[in-house]
Amino acid sequence: MKTKTILISGASVAGPALAFWLSRYGFKPTIVERSPAIRQGGYAIDFRGVAMEVLEKMDIVKEIKKHETRAGKITIVDKHNRKLASMPDGFTSGELEILRGDLANVFYEATKENTEYIFDNSISSMQQTSNGVEVAFSNGESRKFDLVIGADGLHSNVSALAFGDEQKFHHHLGIYFAVFTTSNFMDLKDMAGHYYGTLGKRTGIFSVRKDTKAQASFYFASPKFDYSYRDINAQKQIIREKFAGEQWQIPQMLQHMEEATDFYFDSVSQVRMDRWSNDRIALLGDAGYCASPMSGMGTSMAVTGAYILAGELKEADGDYSIAFARYEEKMRPFVTAAQKMAEGAEWFVPTTRFKLWMSRQIWKILPHTPWKNMMIEMPMKVATTIKVKDYGLEQKPEMVYNLG
Ligand SMILES: Cc1cc2nc3c(=O)[nH]c(=O)nc-3n(C[C@H](O)[C@H](O)[C@H](O)COP(=O)(O)OP(=O)(O)OC[C@H]3O[C@@H](n4cnc5c(N)ncnc54)[C@H](O)[C@@H]3O)c2cc1C
């Protein structure tokens, strides 16, 4: 029997979603994750359109619903916490909303039986040969796999090893952001959220977990700069410096940030690549086609891409060159539409007084204009850009894939 081992780097959303399908189709997925456990944290993410269809095929919607969130009223406030504008309940919630960390936990639970998970480890080098990929790990071990998939996010290690420096593919959209969980110190009710903006900066706080916790976020406009992706203290220092001296609830938020254990910081960037595979190595999710948090589509693309990639490997009887080409051909229109929608992120963090004033006026009139529907319909249109076929659910244990 030919081998059918597939190493996936990254245990967040894309990696486990891929492993879910691969194991059902008789492949043997192994996931290597750099963190010692599934990483918690992150904002509420929402699913719409084609991704909902994929979750239904996974028969996982019921489980996700146990952790479902639904953003309450969003209020735009001034420095005295006075209302400037507001958006109705569920305005940003899509068809199904869940905290990113909770989703990662659900996917982990759904896959751990049939997937080998290796935590606290990372790929240090890969050598492609005629019949597999020789992989060396940072703990000194080496193993051979038939294929390697990079599902390791915006700063993908697999992408750097197989395609070169990320700078070639990253398109910074001019904003950085941080998000963390804190106590609901503002006593927000009914999952309400507040946003406060000044020139080139925006902060938000949203009640989560039935108002027992809150999620704080900081955004600031800045040209690209270098920082350590691994050093969370250094990342917190960036936020401290940027938001020092600001008003509203910002001093309290900065204090709460010190204790945050799920602090997440990154640039608002897109990954734009001409191709997502290099022989036996392919990219999935943010690693290959991050559209940025401004798209609201990162998780939907990760889940849909995982379904298509696994399905095409099954359909092509494991012939990875055919499968990778079909995966790319099918996913590309969705990725292009999602990336296009996220362009012009500047409206969210305006950098001139005029744009700041304009954005406040737009927030004020938005709920009373037809644009309100457009804000809901546009993501739905993008989320239904592609259709997914049924690759069949049944596991075929006798299936022999020709990966050799
Ligand atoms: C902790 C966290 C918080 C997030 N918060 C937000 C948010 O608030 N808003 C938003 O829009 N998006 C957020 N994201 C990104 C969001 O999850 C993705 O856009 C989307 O869900 C697609 O997921 P992904 O699996 O492709 O990538 P990601 O979710 O980025 O996952 C990548 C995974 O790969 C792991 N990894 C990285 N390097 C290596 C390595 N060398 N070896 C092995 N594993 C590695 C990471 O630890 C992570 O688990 C967050 C991601 C993480 C990890």
PDB file of all heavy atoms in Angstrom, residues 9-15 32-35 39-43 100 121-122 151-154 157 177 179 264 284-287 293 298-299 302, ligand 1:
ATOM      1  N   SER A   9       1.203  22.069   8.988  1.00  0.00           N
ATOM      2  CA  SER A   9       1.795  22.976   9.974  1.00  0.00           C
ATOM      3  C   SER A   9       0.730  23.979  10.389  1.00  0.00           C
ATOM      4  O   SER A   9       0.182  24.695   9.540  1.00  0.00           O
ATOM      5  CB  SER A   9       2.995  23.689   9.351  1.00  0.00           C
ATOM      6  OG  SER A   9       3.513  24.642  10.246  1.00  0.00           O
ATOM      7  N   GLY A  10       0.390  24.021  11.707  1.00  0.00           N
ATOM      8  CA  GLY A  10      -0.589  24.989  12.200  1.00  0.00           C
ATOM      9  C   GLY A  10      -1.884  24.345  12.668  1.00  0.00           C
ATOM     10  O   GLY A  10      -2.565  23.676  11.887  1.00  0.00           O
ATOM     11  N   ALA A  11      -2.186  24.513  13.955  1.00  0.00           N
ATOM     12  CA  ALA A  11      -3.412  23.927  14.538  1.00  0.00           C
ATOM     13  C   ALA A  11      -4.342  25.029  15.005  1.00  0.00           C
ATOM     14  O   ALA A  11      -4.646  25.144  16.190  1.00  0.00           O
ATOM     15  CB  ALA A  11      -3.056  23.005  15.694  1.00  0.00           C
ATOM     16  N   SER A  12      -4.788  25.865  14.072  1.00  0.00           N
ATOM     17  CA  SER A  12      -5.745  26.915  14.436  1.00  0.00           C
ATOM     18  C   SER A  12      -7.096  26.565  13.813  1.00  0.00           C
ATOM     19  O   SER A  12      -7.846  25.773  14.363  1.00  0.00           O
ATOM     20  CB  SER A  12      -5.226  28.264  13.956  1.00  0.00           C
ATOM     21  OG  SER A  12      -6.169  29.272  14.155  1.00  0.00           O
ATOM     22  N   VAL A  13      -7.375  27.111  12.641  1.00  0.00           N
ATOM     23  CA  VAL A  13      -8.644  26.823  11.963  1.00  0.00           C
ATOM     24  C   VAL A  13      -8.405  25.975  10.716  1.00  0.00           C
ATOM     25  O   VAL A  13      -8.938  24.870  10.573  1.00  0.00           O
ATOM     26  CB  VAL A  13      -9.369  28.138  11.584  1.00  0.00           C
ATOM     27  CG1 VAL A  13     -10.630  27.856  10.792  1.00  0.00           C
ATOM     28  CG2 VAL A  13      -9.692  28.937  12.838  1.00  0.00           C
ATOM     29  N   ALA A  14      -7.546  26.481   9.808  1.00  0.00           N
ATOM     30  CA  ALA A  14      -7.346  25.799   8.524  1.00  0.00           C
ATOM     31  C   ALA A  14      -6.773  24.389   8.713  1.00  0.00           C
ATOM     32  O   ALA A  14      -7.250  23.430   8.091  1.00  0.00           O
ATOM     33  CB  ALA A  14      -6.407  26.635   7.643  1.00  0.00           C
ATOM     34  N   GLY A  15      -5.759  24.259   9.576  1.00  0.00           N
ATOM     35  CA  GLY A  15      -5.080  22.962   9.749  1.00  0.00           C
ATOM     36  C   GLY A  15      -6.027  21.871  10.228  1.00  0.00           C
ATOM     37  O   GLY A  15      -6.190  20.834   9.554  1.00  0.00           O
ATOM     38  N   VAL A  32       1.552  19.670  13.154  1.00  0.00           N
ATOM     39  CA  VAL A  32       2.570  20.208  14.055  1.00  0.00           C
ATOM     40  C   VAL A  32       2.198  21.657  14.378  1.00  0.00           C
ATOM     41  O   VAL A  32       1.873  22.440  13.485  1.00  0.00           O
ATOM     42  CB  VAL A  32       4.000  20.093  13.458  1.00  0.00           C
ATOM     43  CG1 VAL A  32       4.125  20.797  12.115  1.00  0.00           C
ATOM     44  CG2 VAL A  32       5.034  20.628  14.436  1.00  0.00           C
ATOM     45  N   GLU A  33       2.166  21.969  15.678  1.00  0.00           N
ATOM     46  CA  GLU A  33       1.772  23.320  16.129  1.00  0.00           C
ATOM     47  C   GLU A  33       2.891  23.873  17.011  1.00  0.00           C
ATOM     48  O   GLU A  33       3.359  23.208  17.929  1.00  0.00           O
ATOM     49  CB  GLU A  33       0.445  23.257  16.889  1.00  0.00           C
ATOM     50  CG  GLU A  33       0.090  24.478  17.727  1.00  0.00           C
ATOM     51  CD  GLU A  33      -0.050  25.784  16.951  1.00  0.00           C
ATOM     52  OE1 GLU A  33      -0.707  25.806  15.901  1.00  0.00           O
ATOM     53  OE2 GLU A  33       0.532  26.795  17.411  1.00  0.00           O
ATOM     54  N   ARG A  34       3.265  25.090  16.719  1.00  0.00           N
ATOM     55  CA  ARG A  34       4.374  25.711  17.444  1.00  0.00           C
ATOM     56  C   ARG A  34       4.056  25.949  18.921  1.00  0.00           C
ATOM     57  O   ARG A  34       4.915  25.825  19.787  1.00  0.00           O
ATOM     58  CB  ARG A  34       4.697  27.045  16.761  1.00  0.00           C
ATOM     59  CG  ARG A  34       5.985  27.678  17.190  1.00  0.00           C
ATOM     60  CD  ARG A  34       6.183  28.977  16.491  1.00  0.00           C
ATOM     61  NE  ARG A  34       5.108  29.920  16.823  1.00  0.00           N
ATOM     62  CZ  ARG A  34       4.918  31.083  16.231  1.00  0.00           C
ATOM     63  NH1 ARG A  34       5.692  31.446  15.239  1.00  0.00           N
ATOM     64  NH2 ARG A  34       3.957  31.891  16.598  1.00  0.00           N
ATOM     65  N   SER A  35       2.795  26.266  19.217  1.00  0.00           N
ATOM     66  CA  SER A  35       2.419  26.542  20.611  1.00  0.00           C
ATOM     67  C   SER A  35       2.288  25.231  21.391  1.00  0.00           C
ATOM     68  O   SER A  35       2.040  24.190  20.806  1.00  0.00           O
ATOM     69  CB  SER A  35       1.074  27.250  20.660  1.00  0.00           C
ATOM     70  OG  SER A  35       1.160  28.421  19.937  1.00  0.00           O
ATOM     71  N   ARG A  39      -4.049  27.511  20.525  1.00  0.00           N
ATOM     72  CA  ARG A  39      -3.984  28.906  20.984  1.00  0.00           C
ATOM     73  C   ARG A  39      -5.375  29.480  21.178  1.00  0.00           C
ATOM     74  O   ARG A  39      -6.252  29.325  20.334  1.00  0.00           O
ATOM     75  CB  ARG A  39      -3.221  29.757  19.962  1.00  0.00           C
ATOM     76  CG  ARG A  39      -1.730  29.521  20.043  1.00  0.00           C
ATOM     77  CD  ARG A  39      -1.004  30.438  19.091  1.00  0.00           C
ATOM     78  NE  ARG A  39      -1.107  31.835  19.485  1.00  0.00           N
ATOM     79  CZ  ARG A  39      -0.604  32.821  18.761  1.00  0.00           C
ATOM     80  NH1 ARG A  39       0.016  32.573  17.627  1.00  0.00           N
ATOM     81  NH2 ARG A  39      -0.718  34.077  19.173  1.00  0.00           N
ATOM     82  N   GLN A  40      -5.558  30.150  22.302  1.00  0.00           N
ATOM     83  CA  GLN A  40      -6.848  30.770  22.594  1.00  0.00           C
ATOM     84  C   GLN A  40      -6.827  32.212  22.099  1.00  0.00           C
ATOM     85  O   GLN A  40      -5.798  32.702  21.659  1.00  0.00           O
ATOM     86  CB  GLN A  40      -7.133  30.706  24.100  1.00  0.00           C
ATOM     87  CG  GLN A  40      -7.140  29.286  24.645  1.00  0.00           C
ATOM     88  CD  GLN A  40      -8.087  28.370  23.875  1.00  0.00           C
ATOM     89  OE1 GLN A  40      -9.273  28.657  23.757  1.00  0.00           O
ATOM     90  NE2 GLN A  40      -7.571  27.288  23.327  1.00  0.00           N
ATOM     91  N   GLY A  41      -7.958  32.869  22.229  1.00  0.00           N
ATOM     92  CA  GLY A  41      -8.007  34.295  21.921  1.00  0.00           C
ATOM     93  C   GLY A  41      -8.456  34.590  20.512  1.00  0.00           C
ATOM     94  O   GLY A  41      -8.694  33.701  19.702  1.00  0.00           O
ATOM     95  N   GLY A  42      -8.569  35.879  20.261  1.00  0.00           N
ATOM     96  CA  GLY A  42      -9.047  36.338  18.965  1.00  0.00           C
ATOM     97  C   GLY A  42     -10.489  36.786  19.076  1.00  0.00           C
ATOM     98  O   GLY A  42     -11.220  36.412  19.981  1.00  0.00           O
ATOM     99  N   TYR A  43     -10.851  37.576  18.139  1.00  0.00           N
ATOM    100  CA  TYR A  43     -12.156  38.186  18.078  1.00  0.00           C
ATOM    101  C   TYR A  43     -13.239  37.173  17.718  1.00  0.00           C
ATOM    102  O   TYR A  43     -12.935  36.064  17.311  1.00  0.00           O
ATOM    103  CB  TYR A  43     -12.074  39.219  16.963  1.00  0.00           C
ATOM    104  CG  TYR A  43     -12.677  40.532  17.323  1.00  0.00           C
ATOM    105  CD1 TYR A  43     -12.363  41.143  18.518  1.00  0.00           C
ATOM    106  CD2 TYR A  43     -13.559  41.155  16.458  1.00  0.00           C
ATOM    107  CE1 TYR A  43     -12.932  42.357  18.849  1.00  0.00           C
ATOM    108  CE2 TYR A  43     -14.116  42.372  16.769  1.00  0.00           C
ATOM    109  CZ  TYR A  43     -13.806  42.963  17.969  1.00  0.00           C
ATOM    110  OH  TYR A  43     -14.377  44.151  18.285  1.00  0.00           O
ATOM    111  N   ARG A 100     -12.947  33.025  18.035  1.00  0.00           N
ATOM    112  CA  ARG A 100     -11.961  32.248  17.282  1.00  0.00           C
ATOM    113  C   ARG A 100     -11.354  31.114  18.107  1.00  0.00           C
ATOM    114  O   ARG A 100     -11.201  29.985  17.652  1.00  0.00           O
ATOM    115  CB  ARG A 100     -10.851  33.162  16.755  1.00  0.00           C
ATOM    116  CG  ARG A 100      -9.940  32.518  15.725  1.00  0.00           C
ATOM    117  CD  ARG A 100      -8.515  33.040  15.853  1.00  0.00           C
ATOM    118  NE  ARG A 100      -7.945  32.617  17.098  1.00  0.00           N
ATOM    119  CZ  ARG A 100      -7.216  31.513  17.253  1.00  0.00           C
ATOM    120  NH1 ARG A 100      -6.950  30.745  16.238  1.00  0.00           N
ATOM    121  NH2 ARG A 100      -6.747  31.179  18.438  1.00  0.00           N
ATOM    122  N   ASN A 121       6.340  22.348  18.704  1.00  0.00           N
ATOM    123  CA  ASN A 121       7.357  21.925  17.739  1.00  0.00           C
ATOM    124  C   ASN A 121       7.098  22.655  16.422  1.00  0.00           C
ATOM    125  O   ASN A 121       6.023  23.248  16.236  1.00  0.00           O
ATOM    126  CB  ASN A 121       7.269  20.404  17.551  1.00  0.00           C
ATOM    127  CG  ASN A 121       8.604  19.804  17.119  1.00  0.00           C
ATOM    128  OD1 ASN A 121       9.525  20.521  16.720  1.00  0.00           O
ATOM    129  ND2 ASN A 121       8.703  18.492  17.210  1.00  0.00           N
ATOM    130  N   SER A 122       8.050  22.611  15.536  1.00  0.00           N
ATOM    131  CA  SER A 122       7.907  23.362  14.290  1.00  0.00           C
ATOM    132  C   SER A 122       8.826  22.739  13.235  1.00  0.00           C
ATOM    133  O   SER A 122       9.807  22.070  13.585  1.00  0.00           O
ATOM    134  CB  SER A 122       8.318  24.810  14.588  1.00  0.00           C
ATOM    135  OG  SER A 122       8.305  25.582  13.446  1.00  0.00           O
ATOM    136  N   ALA A 151      -0.505  25.553   7.008  1.00  0.00           N
ATOM    137  CA  ALA A 151      -1.736  26.222   7.483  1.00  0.00           C
ATOM    138  C   ALA A 151      -1.329  27.023   8.706  1.00  0.00           C
ATOM    139  O   ALA A 151      -2.020  27.033   9.719  1.00  0.00           O
ATOM    140  CB  ALA A 151      -2.798  25.181   7.804  1.00  0.00           C
ATOM    141  N   ASP A 152      -0.162  27.661   8.600  1.00  0.00           N
ATOM    142  CA  ASP A 152       0.437  28.301   9.772  1.00  0.00           C
ATOM    143  C   ASP A 152       0.386  29.826   9.723  1.00  0.00           C
ATOM    144  O   ASP A 152       1.270  30.514  10.225  1.00  0.00           O
ATOM    145  CB  ASP A 152       1.861  27.780  10.027  1.00  0.00           C
ATOM    146  CG  ASP A 152       2.673  27.588   8.762  1.00  0.00           C
ATOM    147  OD1 ASP A 152       2.190  27.993   7.686  1.00  0.00           O
ATOM    148  OD2 ASP A 152       3.778  27.041   8.829  1.00  0.00           O
ATOM    149  N   GLY A 153      -0.691  30.333   9.115  1.00  0.00           N
ATOM    150  CA  GLY A 153      -1.041  31.733   9.284  1.00  0.00           C
ATOM    151  C   GLY A 153      -0.248  32.739   8.462  1.00  0.00           C
ATOM    152  O   GLY A 153       0.556  32.389   7.587  1.00  0.00           O
ATOM    153  N   LEU A 154      -0.498  33.995   8.784  1.00  0.00           N
ATOM    154  CA  LEU A 154       0.060  35.126   8.027  1.00  0.00           C
ATOM    155  C   LEU A 154       1.583  35.078   7.925  1.00  0.00           C
ATOM    156  O   LEU A 154       2.155  35.449   6.902  1.00  0.00           O
ATOM    157  CB  LEU A 154      -0.407  36.421   8.719  1.00  0.00           C
ATOM    158  CG  LEU A 154      -0.047  37.753   8.119  1.00  0.00           C
ATOM    159  CD1 LEU A 154      -0.540  37.887   6.686  1.00  0.00           C
ATOM    160  CD2 LEU A 154      -0.640  38.884   8.962  1.00  0.00           C
ATOM    161  N   ASN A 157       5.552  29.638   8.309  1.00  0.00           N
ATOM    162  CA  ASN A 157       6.883  29.044   8.281  1.00  0.00           C
ATOM    163  C   ASN A 157       7.055  28.206   7.010  1.00  0.00           C
ATOM    164  O   ASN A 157       8.092  28.267   6.337  1.00  0.00           O
ATOM    165  CB  ASN A 157       6.983  28.159   9.544  1.00  0.00           C
ATOM    166  CG  ASN A 157       8.274  27.435   9.674  1.00  0.00           C
ATOM    167  OD1 ASN A 157       9.315  27.983   9.363  1.00  0.00           O
ATOM    168  ND2 ASN A 157       8.234  26.203  10.150  1.00  0.00           N
ATOM    169  N   PHE A 177      -3.158  45.846  14.570  1.00  0.00           N
ATOM    170  CA  PHE A 177      -4.223  45.667  15.570  1.00  0.00           C
ATOM    171  C   PHE A 177      -3.808  44.686  16.655  1.00  0.00           C
ATOM    172  O   PHE A 177      -2.926  43.839  16.451  1.00  0.00           O
ATOM    173  CB  PHE A 177      -5.544  45.211  14.921  1.00  0.00           C
ATOM    174  CG  PHE A 177      -5.616  43.739  14.596  1.00  0.00           C
ATOM    175  CD1 PHE A 177      -6.453  42.900  15.319  1.00  0.00           C
ATOM    176  CD2 PHE A 177      -4.871  43.200  13.569  1.00  0.00           C
ATOM    177  CE1 PHE A 177      -6.539  41.543  15.027  1.00  0.00           C
ATOM    178  CE2 PHE A 177      -4.941  41.854  13.262  1.00  0.00           C
ATOM    179  CZ  PHE A 177      -5.784  41.022  13.989  1.00  0.00           C
ATOM    180  N   VAL A 179      -5.710  42.392  20.041  1.00  0.00           N
ATOM    181  CA  VAL A 179      -6.974  41.993  20.669  1.00  0.00           C
ATOM    182  C   VAL A 179      -6.677  41.072  21.847  1.00  0.00           C
ATOM    183  O   VAL A 179      -5.718  40.300  21.796  1.00  0.00           O
ATOM    184  CB  VAL A 179      -7.930  41.344  19.624  1.00  0.00           C
ATOM    185  CG1 VAL A 179      -7.280  40.220  18.869  1.00  0.00           C
ATOM    186  CG2 VAL A 179      -9.222  40.849  20.245  1.00  0.00           C
ATOM    187  N   TYR A 264      -3.123  39.067  21.237  1.00  0.00           N
ATOM    188  CA  TYR A 264      -2.766  38.762  19.841  1.00  0.00           C
ATOM    189  C   TYR A 264      -2.520  40.081  19.115  1.00  0.00           C
ATOM    190  O   TYR A 264      -3.306  41.012  19.232  1.00  0.00           O
ATOM    191  CB  TYR A 264      -3.915  38.001  19.174  1.00  0.00           C
ATOM    192  CG  TYR A 264      -3.678  37.676  17.723  1.00  0.00           C
ATOM    193  CD1 TYR A 264      -2.864  36.614  17.351  1.00  0.00           C
ATOM    194  CD2 TYR A 264      -4.284  38.421  16.707  1.00  0.00           C
ATOM    195  CE1 TYR A 264      -2.651  36.305  16.010  1.00  0.00           C
ATOM    196  CE2 TYR A 264      -4.081  38.119  15.367  1.00  0.00           C
ATOM    197  CZ  TYR A 264      -3.267  37.059  15.027  1.00  0.00           C
ATOM    198  OH  TYR A 264      -3.061  36.761  13.710  1.00  0.00           O
ATOM    199  N   LEU A 284      -2.512  26.813   2.720  1.00  0.00           N
ATOM    200  CA  LEU A 284      -3.945  26.826   3.005  1.00  0.00           C
ATOM    201  C   LEU A 284      -4.257  27.946   3.997  1.00  0.00           C
ATOM    202  O   LEU A 284      -3.479  28.190   4.925  1.00  0.00           O
ATOM    203  CB  LEU A 284      -4.323  25.461   3.621  1.00  0.00           C
ATOM    204  CG  LEU A 284      -5.738  25.280   4.153  1.00  0.00           C
ATOM    205  CD1 LEU A 284      -6.749  25.263   3.000  1.00  0.00           C
ATOM    206  CD2 LEU A 284      -5.853  23.952   4.926  1.00  0.00           C
ATOM    207  N   GLY A 285      -5.400  28.586   3.825  1.00  0.00           N
ATOM    208  CA  GLY A 285      -5.824  29.614   4.785  1.00  0.00           C
ATOM    209  C   GLY A 285      -4.945  30.857   4.702  1.00  0.00           C
ATOM    210  O   GLY A 285      -4.409  31.193   3.635  1.00  0.00           O
ATOM    211  N   ASP A 286      -4.798  31.531   5.835  1.00  0.00           N
ATOM    212  CA  ASP A 286      -4.036  32.788   5.858  1.00  0.00           C
ATOM    213  C   ASP A 286      -2.632  32.616   5.283  1.00  0.00           C
ATOM    214  O   ASP A 286      -2.065  33.550   4.728  1.00  0.00           O
ATOM    215  CB  ASP A 286      -3.908  33.302   7.300  1.00  0.00           C
ATOM    216  CG  ASP A 286      -5.135  34.092   7.730  1.00  0.00           C
ATOM    217  OD1 ASP A 286      -6.135  34.090   6.989  1.00  0.00           O
ATOM    218  OD2 ASP A 286      -5.089  34.714   8.809  1.00  0.00           O
ATOM    219  N   ALA A 287      -2.036  31.455   5.441  1.00  0.00           N
ATOM    220  CA  ALA A 287      -0.675  31.230   4.949  1.00  0.00           C
ATOM    221  C   ALA A 287      -0.583  31.511   3.449  1.00  0.00           C
ATOM    222  O   ALA A 287       0.393  32.083   2.968  1.00  0.00           O
ATOM    223  CB  ALA A 287      -0.248  29.783   5.235  1.00  0.00           C
ATOM    224  N   PRO A 293      -8.109  40.922   8.607  1.00  0.00           N
ATOM    225  CA  PRO A 293      -9.317  40.948   9.444  1.00  0.00           C
ATOM    226  C   PRO A 293     -10.405  41.846   8.862  1.00  0.00           C
ATOM    227  O   PRO A 293     -11.578  41.677   9.157  1.00  0.00           O
ATOM    228  CB  PRO A 293      -8.826  41.514  10.782  1.00  0.00           C
ATOM    229  CG  PRO A 293      -7.362  41.312  10.781  1.00  0.00           C
ATOM    230  CD  PRO A 293      -6.910  41.312   9.349  1.00  0.00           C
ATOM    231  N   GLY A 298     -11.553  35.511   6.702  1.00  0.00           N
ATOM    232  CA  GLY A 298     -10.374  34.643   6.892  1.00  0.00           C
ATOM    233  C   GLY A 298     -10.749  33.227   7.297  1.00  0.00           C
ATOM    234  O   GLY A 298     -10.244  32.249   6.733  1.00  0.00           O
ATOM    235  N   THR A 299     -11.665  33.121   8.240  1.00  0.00           N
ATOM    236  CA  THR A 299     -12.027  31.801   8.745  1.00  0.00           C
ATOM    237  C   THR A 299     -12.881  31.049   7.730  1.00  0.00           C
ATOM    238  O   THR A 299     -12.717  29.843   7.544  1.00  0.00           O
ATOM    239  CB  THR A 299     -12.763  31.954  10.086  1.00  0.00           C
ATOM    240  OG1 THR A 299     -11.979  32.831  10.893  1.00  0.00           O
ATOM    241  CG2 THR A 299     -12.903  30.654  10.802  1.00  0.00           C
ATOM    242  N   ALA A 302     -10.579  29.728   5.163  1.00  0.00           N
ATOM    243  CA  ALA A 302      -9.772  28.616   5.684  1.00  0.00           C
ATOM    244  C   ALA A 302     -10.576  27.314   5.671  1.00  0.00           C
ATOM    245  O   ALA A 302     -10.097  26.268   5.226  1.00  0.00           O
ATOM    246  CB  ALA A 302      -9.308  28.940   7.106  1.00  0.00           C
TER     247      ALA A 302
HETATM  248  C1  LIG B   1      -4.325  33.525  18.659  1.00  0.00           C
HETATM  249  C2  LIG B   1      -4.930  34.055  17.381  1.00  0.00           C
HETATM  250  C3  LIG B   1      -5.824  35.128  17.441  1.00  0.00           C
HETATM  251  C4  LIG B   1      -6.375  35.627  16.261  1.00  0.00           C
HETATM  252  N1  LIG B   1      -7.225  36.704  16.356  1.00  0.00           N
HETATM  253  C5  LIG B   1      -7.774  37.199  15.255  1.00  0.00           C
HETATM  254  C6  LIG B   1      -8.685  38.320  15.330  1.00  0.00           C
HETATM  255  O1  LIG B   1      -8.977  38.838  16.399  1.00  0.00           O
HETATM  256  N2  LIG B   1      -9.210  38.806  14.171  1.00  0.00           N
HETATM  257  C7  LIG B   1      -8.907  38.232  12.971  1.00  0.00           C
HETATM  258  O2  LIG B   1      -9.407  38.689  11.954  1.00  0.00           O
HETATM  259  N3  LIG B   1      -8.073  37.183  12.858  1.00  0.00           N
HETATM  260  C8  LIG B   1      -7.488  36.649  13.970  1.00  0.00           C
HETATM  261  N4  LIG B   1      -6.626  35.586  13.861  1.00  0.00           N
HETATM  262  C9  LIG B   1      -6.391  35.014  12.527  1.00  0.00           C
HETATM  263  C10 LIG B   1      -7.542  34.080  12.130  1.00  0.00           C
HETATM  264  O3  LIG B   1      -7.571  32.987  12.995  1.00  0.00           O
HETATM  265  C11 LIG B   1      -7.322  33.667  10.691  1.00  0.00           C
HETATM  266  O4  LIG B   1      -7.437  34.794   9.849  1.00  0.00           O
HETATM  267  C12 LIG B   1      -8.300  32.675  10.094  1.00  0.00           C
HETATM  268  O5  LIG B   1      -9.086  32.028  11.027  1.00  0.00           O
HETATM  269  C13 LIG B   1      -7.566  31.640   9.222  1.00  0.00           C
HETATM  270  O6  LIG B   1      -6.915  30.759  10.074  1.00  0.00           O
HETATM  271  P1  LIG B   1      -5.593  29.972   9.739  1.00  0.00           P
HETATM  272  O7  LIG B   1      -5.753  28.660  10.423  1.00  0.00           O
HETATM  273  O8  LIG B   1      -5.305  30.004   8.297  1.00  0.00           O
HETATM  274  O9  LIG B   1      -4.426  30.834  10.429  1.00  0.00           O
HETATM  275  P2  LIG B   1      -4.191  31.241  11.947  1.00  0.00           P
HETATM  276  O10 LIG B   1      -5.463  31.306  12.675  1.00  0.00           O
HETATM  277  O11 LIG B   1      -3.334  32.440  11.954  1.00  0.00           O
HETATM  278  O12 LIG B   1      -3.386  30.004  12.559  1.00  0.00           O
HETATM  279  C14 LIG B   1      -2.056  29.697  12.304  1.00  0.00           C
HETATM  280  C15 LIG B   1      -1.601  28.642  13.303  1.00  0.00           C
HETATM  281  O13 LIG B   1      -0.279  28.249  12.947  1.00  0.00           O
HETATM  282  C16 LIG B   1       0.523  28.236  14.107  1.00  0.00           C
HETATM  283  N5  LIG B   1       1.910  28.435  13.703  1.00  0.00           N
HETATM  284  C17 LIG B   1       2.515  29.600  13.367  1.00  0.00           C
HETATM  285  N6  LIG B   1       3.806  29.374  13.068  1.00  0.00           N
HETATM  286  C18 LIG B   1       4.010  28.050  13.204  1.00  0.00           C
HETATM  287  C19 LIG B   1       5.131  27.213  13.027  1.00  0.00           C
HETATM  288  N7  LIG B   1       6.329  27.701  12.682  1.00  0.00           N
HETATM  289  N8  LIG B   1       4.995  25.880  13.237  1.00  0.00           N
HETATM  290  C20 LIG B   1       3.785  25.349  13.630  1.00  0.00           C
HETATM  291  N9  LIG B   1       2.691  26.119  13.831  1.00  0.00           N
HETATM  292  C21 LIG B   1       2.802  27.436  13.602  1.00  0.00           C
HETATM  293  C22 LIG B   1      -0.048  29.340  14.974  1.00  0.00           C
HETATM  294  O14 LIG B   1       0.322  29.187  16.331  1.00  0.00           O
HETATM  295  C23 LIG B   1      -1.535  29.146  14.741  1.00  0.00           C
HETATM  296  O15 LIG B   1      -2.071  28.182  15.606  1.00  0.00           O
HETATM  297  C24 LIG B   1      -6.044  35.051  15.000  1.00  0.00           C
HETATM  298  C25 LIG B   1      -5.156  33.971  14.941  1.00  0.00           C
HETATM  299  C26 LIG B   1      -4.594  33.460  16.111  1.00  0.00           C
HETATM  300  C27 LIG B   1      -3.622  32.293  16.022  1.00  0.00           C
END
